[in-house]
Amino acid sequence: MAKKKIQEDLTKSVVTKESLAFFEKYINNPSPTGFEWAGQRMWLDYIKPYVDDTYIDSYGTAVGIINPKASYKVVIEAHADEISWFVNYISKDGLIYVIRNGGSDHQIAPSKRVNIHTDKGIVKAVFGWPAIHTRSGEKEEAPTLKNIFLDCGCTSKEEVEELGIHVGCVVTYEDEFMVLNDRYYVGRALDNRAGGFMIAEVARLLKENKQKLPFGLYIVNSVQEEIGLRGAEMIAQYIKPNVAIVTDVTHDTNTPMINKVTQGDLACGKGPVVSYAPAVQINLNRQLIEVAQKNNIPIQRQASSRYTGTDTDAFAYSNGGVPSALISLPLRYMHTTVEMVHKEDVDNVIKLIYEVLLSIEKDQDFRSFSK
């Protein structure tokens, strides 16, 4: 009867009014790679009522723990950092040139408003670009990392420095969260703070439904994924998990200029994406798919040639090999300020992770054979 009640609950929208308010606040808070602390504090404060203990490492990876004394450990994981820019050079006339912090896209930069993070606080600036009237010639010059620049309204290097801006200051876009057509969540850094939100919601469901797990559950919000899975590498060595289920975003390939032959056929609104890759442990993946089918959760499938490019790879190849799987959230316009994910996909990723956790047995061995 209790199981039936939970199933009925899971047919409803998982994201509540209260959790959506947190999601919006969490997305709007900047968490550039290497500078995630404020967002991690926010995330830990949200998840704390649903876990038994919390932990944060020296670089800022945050963990909520259920059953911390259990010897068998299961991780559900997302990454917290967002792409950004670093101040790299300040010209004598007060213009600021940047380099990437992660995979920032130079083509979307011109005319964007930004926040420059300094010890004195936020300084506003814009990515300037020559007016269309002044661009002449047979071939227009396109935005590149060498010619995009920030203008903060100063006329000299000294004036810029008086604002607290120096080489190494991090720069983020100021675009914020919105709901589009009551169907999509839109904002910068949905890659992958949407994942951090979803794993926190799994913790909330476990608590509210009074589920008792036969293992320790580590809800992990890693840092520094965007520059090489570094936070996941560090925390995997600390936790030494037996199983890892990672969630990240993947491309909706049903918008213009994307080749489905090379990128696959994936779409927002059609469910979580299950990945096939060498790092994805075959039996754990099969169990995940069976759970989705049993609970009528729609899924899509994606193949990766050598690696997933997500924290799945870091967990899978740590500690002598950790059975790992990847559940991805389809997303449009990755690494822009208008990333889009479907509300139903968010609900279904949460449901799938939740149900997979309930299916994992005490000390479960995912090997195909042991002798």
PDB file of all heavy atoms in Angstrom, residues 85-100 116 126-129 141 144-152 160 165-169 171:
ATOM      1  N   TRP A  85      34.731  33.717 -17.512  1.00  0.00           N
ATOM      2  CA  TRP A  85      35.918  34.314 -18.118  1.00  0.00           C
ATOM      3  C   TRP A  85      36.866  34.789 -17.025  1.00  0.00           C
ATOM      4  O   TRP A  85      36.437  35.052 -15.901  1.00  0.00           O
ATOM      5  CB  TRP A  85      35.538  35.525 -18.980  1.00  0.00           C
ATOM      6  CG  TRP A  85      34.551  35.257 -20.060  1.00  0.00           C
ATOM      7  CD1 TRP A  85      33.195  35.430 -20.002  1.00  0.00           C
ATOM      8  CD2 TRP A  85      34.827  34.772 -21.380  1.00  0.00           C
ATOM      9  NE1 TRP A  85      32.603  35.085 -21.190  1.00  0.00           N
ATOM     10  CE2 TRP A  85      33.587  34.674 -22.069  1.00  0.00           C
ATOM     11  CE3 TRP A  85      35.986  34.415 -22.059  1.00  0.00           C
ATOM     12  CZ2 TRP A  85      33.480  34.249 -23.376  1.00  0.00           C
ATOM     13  CZ3 TRP A  85      35.891  33.981 -23.367  1.00  0.00           C
ATOM     14  CH2 TRP A  85      34.654  33.904 -24.019  1.00  0.00           C
ATOM     15  N   PHE A  86      38.140  34.917 -17.358  1.00  0.00           N
ATOM     16  CA  PHE A  86      39.116  35.563 -16.498  1.00  0.00           C
ATOM     17  C   PHE A  86      39.590  36.862 -17.153  1.00  0.00           C
ATOM     18  O   PHE A  86      39.853  36.896 -18.377  1.00  0.00           O
ATOM     19  CB  PHE A  86      40.359  34.688 -16.294  1.00  0.00           C
ATOM     20  CG  PHE A  86      40.233  33.635 -15.231  1.00  0.00           C
ATOM     21  CD1 PHE A  86      40.471  32.298 -15.536  1.00  0.00           C
ATOM     22  CD2 PHE A  86      39.902  33.966 -13.922  1.00  0.00           C
ATOM     23  CE1 PHE A  86      40.390  31.322 -14.560  1.00  0.00           C
ATOM     24  CE2 PHE A  86      39.810  32.995 -12.940  1.00  0.00           C
ATOM     25  CZ  PHE A  86      40.055  31.678 -13.256  1.00  0.00           C
ATOM     26  N   VAL A  87      39.725  37.921 -16.364  1.00  0.00           N
ATOM     27  CA  VAL A  87      40.421  39.115 -16.840  1.00  0.00           C
ATOM     28  C   VAL A  87      41.875  38.727 -17.125  1.00  0.00           C
ATOM     29  O   VAL A  87      42.556  38.153 -16.269  1.00  0.00           O
ATOM     30  CB  VAL A  87      40.367  40.246 -15.790  1.00  0.00           C
ATOM     31  CG1 VAL A  87      41.268  41.407 -16.217  1.00  0.00           C
ATOM     32  CG2 VAL A  87      38.930  40.725 -15.593  1.00  0.00           C
ATOM     33  N   ASN A  88      42.341  39.050 -18.335  1.00  0.00           N
ATOM     34  CA  ASN A  88      43.688  38.638 -18.741  1.00  0.00           C
ATOM     35  C   ASN A  88      44.606  39.814 -19.056  1.00  0.00           C
ATOM     36  O   ASN A  88      45.818  39.722 -18.871  1.00  0.00           O
ATOM     37  CB  ASN A  88      43.600  37.730 -19.967  1.00  0.00           C
ATOM     38  CG  ASN A  88      44.916  37.097 -20.332  1.00  0.00           C
ATOM     39  OD1 ASN A  88      45.563  36.490 -19.476  1.00  0.00           O
ATOM     40  ND2 ASN A  88      45.327  37.238 -21.586  1.00  0.00           N
ATOM     41  N   TYR A  89      44.003  40.920 -19.504  1.00  0.00           N
ATOM     42  CA  TYR A  89      44.820  42.081 -19.885  1.00  0.00           C
ATOM     43  C   TYR A  89      43.948  43.325 -19.821  1.00  0.00           C
ATOM     44  O   TYR A  89      42.793  43.320 -20.274  1.00  0.00           O
ATOM     45  CB  TYR A  89      45.377  41.890 -21.300  1.00  0.00           C
ATOM     46  CG  TYR A  89      45.980  43.140 -21.910  1.00  0.00           C
ATOM     47  CD1 TYR A  89      47.154  43.682 -21.402  1.00  0.00           C
ATOM     48  CD2 TYR A  89      45.361  43.776 -22.990  1.00  0.00           C
ATOM     49  CE1 TYR A  89      47.703  44.831 -21.954  1.00  0.00           C
ATOM     50  CE2 TYR A  89      45.903  44.922 -23.557  1.00  0.00           C
ATOM     51  CZ  TYR A  89      47.068  45.446 -23.026  1.00  0.00           C
ATOM     52  OH  TYR A  89      47.614  46.587 -23.565  1.00  0.00           O
ATOM     53  N   ILE A  90      44.494  44.398 -19.263  1.00  0.00           N
ATOM     54  CA  ILE A  90      43.806  45.690 -19.209  1.00  0.00           C
ATOM     55  C   ILE A  90      44.608  46.681 -20.035  1.00  0.00           C
ATOM     56  O   ILE A  90      45.792  46.937 -19.762  1.00  0.00           O
ATOM     57  CB  ILE A  90      43.668  46.196 -17.755  1.00  0.00           C
ATOM     58  CG1 ILE A  90      42.960  45.147 -16.886  1.00  0.00           C
ATOM     59  CG2 ILE A  90      42.898  47.521 -17.717  1.00  0.00           C
ATOM     60  CD1 ILE A  90      43.001  45.454 -15.395  1.00  0.00           C
ATOM     61  N   SER A  91      43.970  47.237 -21.061  1.00  0.00           N
ATOM     62  CA  SER A  91      44.690  48.153 -21.956  1.00  0.00           C
ATOM     63  C   SER A  91      44.845  49.522 -21.306  1.00  0.00           C
ATOM     64  O   SER A  91      44.153  49.864 -20.343  1.00  0.00           O
ATOM     65  CB  SER A  91      43.948  48.279 -23.289  1.00  0.00           C
ATOM     66  OG  SER A  91      42.751  49.029 -23.115  1.00  0.00           O
ATOM     67  N   LYS A  92      45.721  50.350 -21.866  1.00  0.00           N
ATOM     68  CA  LYS A  92      45.981  51.669 -21.303  1.00  0.00           C
ATOM     69  C   LYS A  92      44.760  52.578 -21.371  1.00  0.00           C
ATOM     70  O   LYS A  92      44.620  53.516 -20.568  1.00  0.00           O
ATOM     71  CB  LYS A  92      47.163  52.323 -22.021  1.00  0.00           C
ATOM     72  CG  LYS A  92      46.918  52.625 -23.491  1.00  0.00           C
ATOM     73  CD  LYS A  92      48.141  53.289 -24.117  1.00  0.00           C
ATOM     74  CE  LYS A  92      47.862  53.631 -25.588  1.00  0.00           C
ATOM     75  NZ  LYS A  92      49.045  54.291 -26.213  1.00  0.00           N
ATOM     76  N   ASP A  93      43.828  52.280 -22.334  1.00  0.00           N
ATOM     77  CA  ASP A  93      42.618  53.090 -22.436  1.00  0.00           C
ATOM     78  C   ASP A  93      41.433  52.472 -21.701  1.00  0.00           C
ATOM     79  O   ASP A  93      40.279  52.853 -21.923  1.00  0.00           O
ATOM     80  CB  ASP A  93      42.268  53.374 -23.900  1.00  0.00           C
ATOM     81  CG  ASP A  93      42.235  52.121 -24.754  1.00  0.00           C
ATOM     82  OD1 ASP A  93      42.531  51.034 -24.224  1.00  0.00           O
ATOM     83  OD2 ASP A  93      41.915  52.228 -25.945  1.00  0.00           O
ATOM     84  N   GLY A  94      41.704  51.490 -20.833  1.00  0.00           N
ATOM     85  CA  GLY A  94      40.681  50.996 -19.925  1.00  0.00           C
ATOM     86  C   GLY A  94      39.784  49.903 -20.459  1.00  0.00           C
ATOM     87  O   GLY A  94      38.723  49.633 -19.871  1.00  0.00           O
ATOM     88  N   LEU A  95      40.162  49.256 -21.537  1.00  0.00           N
ATOM     89  CA  LEU A  95      39.405  48.121 -22.054  1.00  0.00           C
ATOM     90  C   LEU A  95      40.022  46.825 -21.524  1.00  0.00           C
ATOM     91  O   LEU A  95      41.233  46.742 -21.293  1.00  0.00           O
ATOM     92  CB  LEU A  95      39.373  48.134 -23.572  1.00  0.00           C
ATOM     93  CG  LEU A  95      38.676  49.363 -24.180  1.00  0.00           C
ATOM     94  CD1 LEU A  95      38.759  49.339 -25.687  1.00  0.00           C
ATOM     95  CD2 LEU A  95      37.227  49.464 -23.710  1.00  0.00           C
ATOM     96  N   ILE A  96      39.173  45.819 -21.349  1.00  0.00           N
ATOM     97  CA  ILE A  96      39.585  44.594 -20.654  1.00  0.00           C
ATOM     98  C   ILE A  96      39.464  43.406 -21.604  1.00  0.00           C
ATOM     99  O   ILE A  96      38.402  43.174 -22.188  1.00  0.00           O
ATOM    100  CB  ILE A  96      38.694  44.362 -19.413  1.00  0.00           C
ATOM    101  CG1 ILE A  96      38.821  45.542 -18.442  1.00  0.00           C
ATOM    102  CG2 ILE A  96      39.049  43.046 -18.730  1.00  0.00           C
ATOM    103  CD1 ILE A  96      37.741  45.556 -17.365  1.00  0.00           C
ATOM    104  N   TYR A  97      40.545  42.650 -21.732  1.00  0.00           N
ATOM    105  CA  TYR A  97      40.543  41.446 -22.561  1.00  0.00           C
ATOM    106  C   TYR A  97      40.555  40.214 -21.651  1.00  0.00           C
ATOM    107  O   TYR A  97      41.089  40.254 -20.536  1.00  0.00           O
ATOM    108  CB  TYR A  97      41.738  41.463 -23.513  1.00  0.00           C
ATOM    109  CG  TYR A  97      41.602  42.546 -24.563  1.00  0.00           C
ATOM    110  CD1 TYR A  97      41.931  43.869 -24.274  1.00  0.00           C
ATOM    111  CD2 TYR A  97      41.097  42.253 -25.822  1.00  0.00           C
ATOM    112  CE1 TYR A  97      41.777  44.872 -25.222  1.00  0.00           C
ATOM    113  CE2 TYR A  97      40.946  43.245 -26.788  1.00  0.00           C
ATOM    114  CZ  TYR A  97      41.284  44.556 -26.478  1.00  0.00           C
ATOM    115  OH  TYR A  97      41.116  45.536 -27.422  1.00  0.00           O
ATOM    116  N   VAL A  98      39.966  39.140 -22.146  1.00  0.00           N
ATOM    117  CA  VAL A  98      39.691  37.987 -21.286  1.00  0.00           C
ATOM    118  C   VAL A  98      40.212  36.690 -21.895  1.00  0.00           C
ATOM    119  O   VAL A  98      40.493  36.610 -23.091  1.00  0.00           O
ATOM    120  CB  VAL A  98      38.169  37.846 -21.035  1.00  0.00           C
ATOM    121  CG1 VAL A  98      37.631  39.053 -20.269  1.00  0.00           C
ATOM    122  CG2 VAL A  98      37.404  37.659 -22.355  1.00  0.00           C
ATOM    123  N   ILE A  99      40.326  35.684 -21.047  1.00  0.00           N
ATOM    124  CA  ILE A  99      40.526  34.302 -21.491  1.00  0.00           C
ATOM    125  C   ILE A  99      39.440  33.448 -20.860  1.00  0.00           C
ATOM    126  O   ILE A  99      38.774  33.864 -19.904  1.00  0.00           O
ATOM    127  CB  ILE A  99      41.918  33.751 -21.101  1.00  0.00           C
ATOM    128  CG1 ILE A  99      42.132  33.809 -19.582  1.00  0.00           C
ATOM    129  CG2 ILE A  99      43.018  34.496 -21.856  1.00  0.00           C
ATOM    130  CD1 ILE A  99      43.392  33.124 -19.117  1.00  0.00           C
ATOM    131  N   ARG A 100      39.265  32.252 -21.384  1.00  0.00           N
ATOM    132  CA  ARG A 100      38.199  31.368 -20.913  1.00  0.00           C
ATOM    133  C   ARG A 100      38.509  30.770 -19.548  1.00  0.00           C
ATOM    134  O   ARG A 100      39.655  30.465 -19.232  1.00  0.00           O
ATOM    135  CB  ARG A 100      37.981  30.215 -21.893  1.00  0.00           C
ATOM    136  CG  ARG A 100      37.471  30.615 -23.252  1.00  0.00           C
ATOM    137  CD  ARG A 100      37.175  29.363 -24.081  1.00  0.00           C
ATOM    138  NE  ARG A 100      36.662  29.710 -25.398  1.00  0.00           N
ATOM    139  CZ  ARG A 100      37.381  29.761 -26.499  1.00  0.00           C
ATOM    140  NH1 ARG A 100      38.679  29.487 -26.434  1.00  0.00           N
ATOM    141  NH2 ARG A 100      36.835  30.081 -27.657  1.00  0.00           N
ATOM    142  N   ILE A 116      31.793  41.548 -13.163  1.00  0.00           N
ATOM    143  CA  ILE A 116      33.194  41.279 -12.845  1.00  0.00           C
ATOM    144  C   ILE A 116      33.290  41.163 -11.331  1.00  0.00           C
ATOM    145  O   ILE A 116      32.908  42.084 -10.596  1.00  0.00           O
ATOM    146  CB  ILE A 116      34.111  42.398 -13.358  1.00  0.00           C
ATOM    147  CG1 ILE A 116      33.927  42.604 -14.870  1.00  0.00           C
ATOM    148  CG2 ILE A 116      35.573  42.066 -13.052  1.00  0.00           C
ATOM    149  CD1 ILE A 116      34.738  43.767 -15.436  1.00  0.00           C
ATOM    150  N   VAL A 126      30.202  45.490 -19.997  1.00  0.00           N
ATOM    151  CA  VAL A 126      29.582  44.901 -21.185  1.00  0.00           C
ATOM    152  C   VAL A 126      30.674  44.413 -22.127  1.00  0.00           C
ATOM    153  O   VAL A 126      31.785  44.969 -22.147  1.00  0.00           O
ATOM    154  CB  VAL A 126      28.674  45.908 -21.927  1.00  0.00           C
ATOM    155  CG1 VAL A 126      27.540  46.370 -21.035  1.00  0.00           C
ATOM    156  CG2 VAL A 126      29.469  47.104 -22.443  1.00  0.00           C
ATOM    157  N   PHE A 127      30.334  43.375 -22.903  1.00  0.00           N
ATOM    158  CA  PHE A 127      31.192  43.001 -24.016  1.00  0.00           C
ATOM    159  C   PHE A 127      30.865  43.945 -25.170  1.00  0.00           C
ATOM    160  O   PHE A 127      29.775  43.879 -25.754  1.00  0.00           O
ATOM    161  CB  PHE A 127      30.938  41.546 -24.436  1.00  0.00           C
ATOM    162  CG  PHE A 127      31.784  40.540 -23.708  1.00  0.00           C
ATOM    163  CD1 PHE A 127      31.212  39.699 -22.762  1.00  0.00           C
ATOM    164  CD2 PHE A 127      33.135  40.414 -23.966  1.00  0.00           C
ATOM    165  CE1 PHE A 127      31.981  38.750 -22.094  1.00  0.00           C
ATOM    166  CE2 PHE A 127      33.920  39.484 -23.311  1.00  0.00           C
ATOM    167  CZ  PHE A 127      33.339  38.648 -22.363  1.00  0.00           C
ATOM    168  N   GLY A 128      31.770  44.866 -25.482  1.00  0.00           N
ATOM    169  CA  GLY A 128      31.541  45.805 -26.570  1.00  0.00           C
ATOM    170  C   GLY A 128      31.736  45.147 -27.929  1.00  0.00           C
ATOM    171  O   GLY A 128      32.350  44.080 -28.047  1.00  0.00           O
ATOM    172  N   TRP A 129      31.208  45.804 -28.961  1.00  0.00           N
ATOM    173  CA  TRP A 129      31.382  45.316 -30.336  1.00  0.00           C
ATOM    174  C   TRP A 129      31.124  46.465 -31.294  1.00  0.00           C
ATOM    175  O   TRP A 129      30.193  47.266 -31.065  1.00  0.00           O
ATOM    176  CB  TRP A 129      30.426  44.158 -30.608  1.00  0.00           C
ATOM    177  CG  TRP A 129      30.736  43.404 -31.875  1.00  0.00           C
ATOM    178  CD1 TRP A 129      29.967  43.334 -33.000  1.00  0.00           C
ATOM    179  CD2 TRP A 129      31.901  42.639 -32.152  1.00  0.00           C
ATOM    180  NE1 TRP A 129      30.583  42.559 -33.954  1.00  0.00           N
ATOM    181  CE2 TRP A 129      31.779  42.114 -33.456  1.00  0.00           C
ATOM    182  CE3 TRP A 129      33.053  42.340 -31.420  1.00  0.00           C
ATOM    183  CZ2 TRP A 129      32.762  41.330 -34.046  1.00  0.00           C
ATOM    184  CZ3 TRP A 129      34.029  41.554 -32.010  1.00  0.00           C
ATOM    185  CH2 TRP A 129      33.876  41.053 -33.303  1.00  0.00           C
ATOM    186  N   GLU A 141      34.721  40.784 -39.916  1.00  0.00           N
ATOM    187  CA  GLU A 141      35.501  40.107 -38.890  1.00  0.00           C
ATOM    188  C   GLU A 141      34.546  39.514 -37.857  1.00  0.00           C
ATOM    189  O   GLU A 141      33.663  40.201 -37.334  1.00  0.00           O
ATOM    190  CB  GLU A 141      36.460  41.093 -38.226  1.00  0.00           C
ATOM    191  CG  GLU A 141      37.451  40.413 -37.297  1.00  0.00           C
ATOM    192  CD  GLU A 141      38.514  41.366 -36.776  1.00  0.00           C
ATOM    193  OE1 GLU A 141      38.465  42.562 -37.122  1.00  0.00           O
ATOM    194  OE2 GLU A 141      39.400  40.907 -36.030  1.00  0.00           O
ATOM    195  N   THR A 144      36.217  36.689 -31.983  1.00  0.00           N
ATOM    196  CA  THR A 144      37.191  35.671 -31.604  1.00  0.00           C
ATOM    197  C   THR A 144      37.701  36.009 -30.208  1.00  0.00           C
ATOM    198  O   THR A 144      37.459  37.103 -29.682  1.00  0.00           O
ATOM    199  CB  THR A 144      38.397  35.640 -32.567  1.00  0.00           C
ATOM    200  OG1 THR A 144      39.179  36.829 -32.383  1.00  0.00           O
ATOM    201  CG2 THR A 144      37.949  35.525 -34.015  1.00  0.00           C
ATOM    202  N   LEU A 145      38.431  35.093 -29.632  1.00  0.00           N
ATOM    203  CA  LEU A 145      38.977  35.331 -28.301  1.00  0.00           C
ATOM    204  C   LEU A 145      39.957  36.508 -28.311  1.00  0.00           C
ATOM    205  O   LEU A 145      40.180  37.154 -27.284  1.00  0.00           O
ATOM    206  CB  LEU A 145      39.675  34.062 -27.794  1.00  0.00           C
ATOM    207  CG  LEU A 145      39.906  33.957 -26.287  1.00  0.00           C
ATOM    208  CD1 LEU A 145      38.604  34.055 -25.520  1.00  0.00           C
ATOM    209  CD2 LEU A 145      40.617  32.649 -25.948  1.00  0.00           C
ATOM    210  N   LYS A 146      40.518  36.814 -29.484  1.00  0.00           N
ATOM    211  CA  LYS A 146      41.510  37.887 -29.587  1.00  0.00           C
ATOM    212  C   LYS A 146      40.891  39.278 -29.716  1.00  0.00           C
ATOM    213  O   LYS A 146      41.550  40.279 -29.450  1.00  0.00           O
ATOM    214  CB  LYS A 146      42.442  37.631 -30.776  1.00  0.00           C
ATOM    215  CG  LYS A 146      43.313  36.394 -30.621  1.00  0.00           C
ATOM    216  CD  LYS A 146      44.203  36.193 -31.839  1.00  0.00           C
ATOM    217  CE  LYS A 146      45.077  34.958 -31.694  1.00  0.00           C
ATOM    218  NZ  LYS A 146      45.939  34.746 -32.889  1.00  0.00           N
ATOM    219  N   ASN A 147      39.614  39.348 -30.153  1.00  0.00           N
ATOM    220  CA  ASN A 147      39.062  40.687 -30.400  1.00  0.00           C
ATOM    221  C   ASN A 147      37.853  41.052 -29.541  1.00  0.00           C
ATOM    222  O   ASN A 147      37.371  42.186 -29.620  1.00  0.00           O
ATOM    223  CB  ASN A 147      38.745  40.892 -31.892  1.00  0.00           C
ATOM    224  CG  ASN A 147      37.645  39.958 -32.389  1.00  0.00           C
ATOM    225  OD1 ASN A 147      36.883  39.385 -31.618  1.00  0.00           O
ATOM    226  ND2 ASN A 147      37.562  39.824 -33.712  1.00  0.00           N
ATOM    227  N   ILE A 148      37.328  40.136 -28.745  1.00  0.00           N
ATOM    228  CA  ILE A 148      36.250  40.526 -27.836  1.00  0.00           C
ATOM    229  C   ILE A 148      36.856  41.221 -26.611  1.00  0.00           C
ATOM    230  O   ILE A 148      37.966  40.893 -26.196  1.00  0.00           O
ATOM    231  CB  ILE A 148      35.375  39.319 -27.415  1.00  0.00           C
ATOM    232  CG1 ILE A 148      36.212  38.232 -26.741  1.00  0.00           C
ATOM    233  CG2 ILE A 148      34.613  38.763 -28.617  1.00  0.00           C
ATOM    234  CD1 ILE A 148      35.384  37.092 -26.151  1.00  0.00           C
ATOM    235  N   PHE A 149      36.132  42.164 -26.074  1.00  0.00           N
ATOM    236  CA  PHE A 149      36.679  42.946 -24.965  1.00  0.00           C
ATOM    237  C   PHE A 149      35.543  43.449 -24.076  1.00  0.00           C
ATOM    238  O   PHE A 149      34.391  43.563 -24.509  1.00  0.00           O
ATOM    239  CB  PHE A 149      37.484  44.141 -25.489  1.00  0.00           C
ATOM    240  CG  PHE A 149      36.661  45.093 -26.319  1.00  0.00           C
ATOM    241  CD1 PHE A 149      36.010  46.174 -25.742  1.00  0.00           C
ATOM    242  CD2 PHE A 149      36.527  44.892 -27.689  1.00  0.00           C
ATOM    243  CE1 PHE A 149      35.236  47.037 -26.510  1.00  0.00           C
ATOM    244  CE2 PHE A 149      35.756  45.756 -28.462  1.00  0.00           C
ATOM    245  CZ  PHE A 149      35.111  46.828 -27.873  1.00  0.00           C
ATOM    246  N   LEU A 150      35.886  43.760 -22.842  1.00  0.00           N
ATOM    247  CA  LEU A 150      34.938  44.306 -21.881  1.00  0.00           C
ATOM    248  C   LEU A 150      35.139  45.800 -21.724  1.00  0.00           C
ATOM    249  O   LEU A 150      36.284  46.289 -21.701  1.00  0.00           O
ATOM    250  CB  LEU A 150      35.109  43.647 -20.516  1.00  0.00           C
ATOM    251  CG  LEU A 150      34.712  42.174 -20.410  1.00  0.00           C
ATOM    252  CD1 LEU A 150      35.082  41.632 -19.029  1.00  0.00           C
ATOM    253  CD2 LEU A 150      33.230  41.987 -20.673  1.00  0.00           C
ATOM    254  N   ASP A 151      34.042  46.517 -21.593  1.00  0.00           N
ATOM    255  CA  ASP A 151      34.048  47.954 -21.342  1.00  0.00           C
ATOM    256  C   ASP A 151      33.280  48.195 -20.048  1.00  0.00           C
ATOM    257  O   ASP A 151      32.093  47.865 -19.951  1.00  0.00           O
ATOM    258  CB  ASP A 151      33.369  48.668 -22.521  1.00  0.00           C
ATOM    259  CG  ASP A 151      33.498  50.185 -22.458  1.00  0.00           C
ATOM    260  OD1 ASP A 151      33.646  50.721 -21.343  1.00  0.00           O
ATOM    261  OD2 ASP A 151      33.412  50.821 -23.519  1.00  0.00           O
ATOM    262  N   CYS A 152      33.944  48.719 -19.031  1.00  0.00           N
ATOM    263  CA  CYS A 152      33.278  49.001 -17.762  1.00  0.00           C
ATOM    264  C   CYS A 152      33.124  50.503 -17.536  1.00  0.00           C
ATOM    265  O   CYS A 152      32.925  50.958 -16.398  1.00  0.00           O
ATOM    266  CB  CYS A 152      33.998  48.333 -16.593  1.00  0.00           C
ATOM    267  SG  CYS A 152      35.693  48.893 -16.337  1.00  0.00           S
ATOM    268  N   VAL A 160      40.309  51.579 -14.147  1.00  0.00           N
ATOM    269  CA  VAL A 160      39.823  50.197 -14.023  1.00  0.00           C
ATOM    270  C   VAL A 160      40.333  49.578 -12.724  1.00  0.00           C
ATOM    271  O   VAL A 160      39.568  48.973 -11.958  1.00  0.00           O
ATOM    272  CB  VAL A 160      40.276  49.351 -15.232  1.00  0.00           C
ATOM    273  CG1 VAL A 160      39.964  47.867 -14.996  1.00  0.00           C
ATOM    274  CG2 VAL A 160      39.598  49.835 -16.509  1.00  0.00           C
ATOM    275  N   ILE A 165      39.421  45.904 -10.126  1.00  0.00           N
ATOM    276  CA  ILE A 165      39.594  44.919 -11.194  1.00  0.00           C
ATOM    277  C   ILE A 165      41.083  44.690 -11.429  1.00  0.00           C
ATOM    278  O   ILE A 165      41.863  45.640 -11.551  1.00  0.00           O
ATOM    279  CB  ILE A 165      38.923  45.398 -12.491  1.00  0.00           C
ATOM    280  CG1 ILE A 165      37.413  45.591 -12.271  1.00  0.00           C
ATOM    281  CG2 ILE A 165      39.174  44.411 -13.631  1.00  0.00           C
ATOM    282  CD1 ILE A 165      36.718  46.296 -13.423  1.00  0.00           C
ATOM    283  N   HIS A 166      41.464  43.426 -11.494  1.00  0.00           N
ATOM    284  CA  HIS A 166      42.856  43.070 -11.775  1.00  0.00           C
ATOM    285  C   HIS A 166      42.885  41.790 -12.599  1.00  0.00           C
ATOM    286  O   HIS A 166      41.865  41.087 -12.731  1.00  0.00           O
ATOM    287  CB  HIS A 166      43.641  42.875 -10.472  1.00  0.00           C
ATOM    288  CG  HIS A 166      43.045  41.860  -9.537  1.00  0.00           C
ATOM    289  ND1 HIS A 166      43.123  40.496  -9.752  1.00  0.00           N
ATOM    290  CD2 HIS A 166      42.334  42.020  -8.394  1.00  0.00           C
ATOM    291  CE1 HIS A 166      42.508  39.855  -8.780  1.00  0.00           C
ATOM    292  NE2 HIS A 166      42.012  40.756  -7.931  1.00  0.00           N
ATOM    293  N   VAL A 167      44.024  41.487 -13.171  1.00  0.00           N
ATOM    294  CA  VAL A 167      44.187  40.228 -13.895  1.00  0.00           C
ATOM    295  C   VAL A 167      43.860  39.070 -12.952  1.00  0.00           C
ATOM    296  O   VAL A 167      44.357  39.013 -11.824  1.00  0.00           O
ATOM    297  CB  VAL A 167      45.614  40.092 -14.443  1.00  0.00           C
ATOM    298  CG1 VAL A 167      45.859  38.683 -14.986  1.00  0.00           C
ATOM    299  CG2 VAL A 167      45.864  41.135 -15.530  1.00  0.00           C
ATOM    300  N   GLY A 168      43.013  38.167 -13.414  1.00  0.00           N
ATOM    301  CA  GLY A 168      42.594  37.042 -12.581  1.00  0.00           C
ATOM    302  C   GLY A 168      41.193  37.185 -12.019  1.00  0.00           C
ATOM    303  O   GLY A 168      40.627  36.201 -11.527  1.00  0.00           O
ATOM    304  N   CYS A 169      40.604  38.388 -12.084  1.00  0.00           N
ATOM    305  CA  CYS A 169      39.203  38.526 -11.672  1.00  0.00           C
ATOM    306  C   CYS A 169      38.328  37.684 -12.599  1.00  0.00           C
ATOM    307  O   CYS A 169      38.553  37.628 -13.813  1.00  0.00           O
ATOM    308  CB  CYS A 169      38.758  39.992 -11.740  1.00  0.00           C
ATOM    309  SG  CYS A 169      39.307  41.016 -10.367  1.00  0.00           S
ATOM    310  N   VAL A 171      34.724  36.634 -14.447  1.00  0.00           N
ATOM    311  CA  VAL A 171      33.640  37.382 -15.085  1.00  0.00           C
ATOM    312  C   VAL A 171      32.518  36.407 -15.436  1.00  0.00           C
ATOM    313  O   VAL A 171      32.758  35.366 -16.062  1.00  0.00           O
ATOM    314  CB  VAL A 171      34.134  38.077 -16.374  1.00  0.00           C
ATOM    315  CG1 VAL A 171      33.015  38.877 -17.019  1.00  0.00           C
ATOM    316  CG2 VAL A 171      35.346  38.950 -16.081  1.00  0.00           C
TER     317      VAL A 171
END
